[in-house]
Amino acid sequence: MKHLTILVPVGQNNLSSIVGPYKIFDRANTYHQQSGKQKIFQIELVGTRSQVDFYNGLFTVNPQKYISDIHKTDLIIIPSLNHNFEEAVFGNEDLISWLRKQYKLGAEIASICTGAFLLAASGVLDGKHCSTHWAAAENFNKKFPKVHLKADQLITDENGIYTNGGAYSFLNLVIYLVEKFYDRETAIYCSKVFQIDVARNMQSEFSIFNGHKKHDDEVIHEAQSYLEENFREKISIQTLAKNLNMDRRNFDRRFKKATDFTPLEYLQRIKVEAAKKSFENTRLNINEVMYDVGYNDAKAFREIFNRITGISPVDYRAKYNYFFSTK
């Protein structure tokens, strides 16, 4: 039987990403046994303290073992750190060292949402791809430049490392792991019991583009402000670069270094974010929204919107429009 370690770090408060994996893997074990097969995992909650409080002491978790008791495990799940991810990195040094050691010993590791910060702090993500909550992507990129962040991906799987996007999308990761370690039949059973969509693989449609401005390049801040204030107009990136006393190549390089996007990519995301808000809150049709955000080519608008959000303008409007949902 394999060993599954569900970590309970200190300084974090997302209880659902501890309870959820425990319940789903426990159900997968039960289903396997009822099918005449052996349990796959012994499941244990493991931490560095005998008790960890959540939501200002409203709930508590009592880990079954300390990390020092676990000399070798097969699969480790790191829960979400919610909004305390940076603090948790500094408060869990022993756990981070333990993660590094266990990976070298052959353990596979799955991080949920901002749990990727703990995993990245161990160094095992260097040179690999990972995902995390879209709202934490900018901070993650700045803190861990050696990691290839794929913030639009719901799940990544590389060399025994699994990561996923934000919030309750961890359910999709857990079903993915159930299929990987049990079988397809068990994964489908669990997806039906817990009503989890097994087909989801992107988190792009849920993201909100607020602009990447946590940098010190004032010229690029000026360029960002210009793009945000004038995105409905016909903008020449070449002219914008010239007005900022830069050639186009240097402008693109400097802009991408500061924001992780080229100027054109940044402009496209501003336009798509404005389109999303219109689809959500107005009665405008697809073409009206397209023209309003500065596009004249329906095919180009549809392709860019789909690439950034993972869903078509028509489907997005039908899914999120307030007026449709209240009919």
Side-chain angles (χ1 to χ4, degrees):
M1 187 187 305
K2 295 180 181 291
H3 185 270
L4 168 59
T5 297
I6 300 177
L7 292 179
V8 186
V10 297
Q12 65 91 22
N13 60 0
N14 196 331
L15 185 60
S16 62
S17 61
I18 294 173
V19 176
Y22 184 90
K23 290 185 66 175
I24 295 173
F25 274 104
D26 185 61
R27 181 59 69 92
N29 270 343
T30 300
Y31 180 75
H32 238 228
Q33 287 181 297
Q34 290 173 345
S35 302
K37 304 171 185 175
Q38 295 294 318
K39 287 169 60 175
I40 298 296
F41 283 112
Q42 176 190 359
I43 308 166
E44 291 186 310
L45 302 185
V46 178
T48 56
R49 294 183 183 177
S50 60
Q51 180 176 299
V52 179
D53 290 334
F54 293 79
Y55 304 104
N56 298 316
L58 186 61
F59 303 102
T60 61
V61 171
N62 302 304
Q64 296 156 284
K65 288 186 178 178
Y66 294 104
I67 55 172
S68 57
D69 299 325
I70 308 296
H71 302 295
K72 192 176 188 309
T73 187
D74 297 289
L75 176 63
I76 302 166
I77 293 182
I78 307 172
S80 168
L81 306 174
N82 211 348
H83 300 295
N84 301 325
F85 41 82
E86 294 198 44
E87 177 185 339
V89 167
F90 293 105
N92 288 284
E93 292 89 348
D94 290 344
L95 190 150
I96 290 168
S97 297
W98 181 84
L99 283 171
R100 188 184 306 116
K101 177 183 177 182
Q102 289 298 321
Y103 186 63
K104 289 180 179 178
L105 290 173
E108 299 188 48
I109 307 176
S111 70
I112 290 172
C113 191
T114 50
F117 280 78
L118 274 185
L119 184 56
S122 72
V124 303
L125 272 177
D126 288 355
K128 299 183 181 67
H129 296 88
C130 89
S131 186
T132 189
H133 197 293
W134 57 263
E138 186 176 4
N139 280 331
F140 188 94
N141 268 329
K142 300 299 182 186
K143 192 171 184 64
F144 304 109
K146 294 181 181 179
V147 181
H148 306 307
L149 184 64
K150 298 291 183 181
D152 60 331
Q153 294 295 311
L154 198 70
I155 295 170
T156 67
D157 175 346
E158 184 176 356
N159 296 334
I161 298 290
Y162 313 92
T163 69
N164 90 285
Y168 285 90
S169 68
F170 77 83
L171 297 170
N172 299 89
L173 173 63
V174 176
I175 293 297
Y176 180 86
L177 293 172
V178 168
E179 180 173 358
K180 198 170 189 78
F181 286 94
Y182 294 76
D183 50 45
R184 178 71 173 174
E185 179 185 343
T186 306
I188 291 176
Y189 170 78
C190 288
S191 74
K192 290 181 176 179
V193 169
F194 294 99
Q195 299 186 38
I196 302 167
D197 182 0
V198 295
R200 274 188 60 203
N201 58 11
M202 300 286 285
Q203 64 171 341
S204 308
E205 67 179 276
F206 302 104
S207 67
I208 301 172
F209 185 68
N210 294 316
H212 289 206
K213 297 182 179 178
K214 293 184 179 180
H215 60 83
D216 300 319
D217 193 326
E218 293 304 322
V219 174
I220 300 304
H221 276 144
E222 183 180 347
Q224 288 175 272
S225 296
Y226 179 86
L227 293 173
E228 290 163 8
E229 292 167 9
N230 298 279
F231 70 89
R232 289 183 171 88
E233 310 301 324
K234 187 174 182 179
I235 294 177
S236 166
I237 303 298
Q238 184 76 32
T239 301
L240 176 58
K242 185 178 180 181
N243 291 340
L244 293 170
N245 299 314
M246 280 187 279
D247 61 73
R248 174 65 185 272
R249 184 177 180 182
N250 185 46
F251 179 53
D252 281 3
R253 180 194 60 77
R254 191 164 158 184
F255 197 102
K256 186 171 179 63
K257 181 180 179 182
T259 70
D260 297 320
F261 298 103
T262 67
L264 180 58
E265 290 169 340
Y266 195 87
L267 179 59
Q268 289 172 340
R269 287 180 177 267
I270 293 169
K271 288 176 177 288
V272 167
E273 191 60 35
K276 286 164 61 180
K277 287 183 170 62
S278 290
F279 288 142
E280 293 164 12
N281 301 308
T282 75
R283 296 180 184 273
L284 297 178
N285 63 35
I286 304 298
N287 284 340
E288 288 172 328
V289 170
M290 177 187 74
Y291 292 129
D292 184 59
V293 300
Y295 283 105
N296 296 309
D297 185 328
K299 182 181 178 182
F301 174 63
R302 184 171 59 253
E303 289 178 350
I304 292 169
F305 191 96
N306 206 322
R307 173 168 52 80
I308 291 175
T309 67
I311 188 173
S312 72
V314 172
D315 290 340
Y316 190 93
R317 182 171 183 261
K319 190 171 184 178
Y320 292 107
N321 186 268
Y322 170 79
F323 300 103
F324 284 0
S325 64
T326 55
K327 283 183 179 179

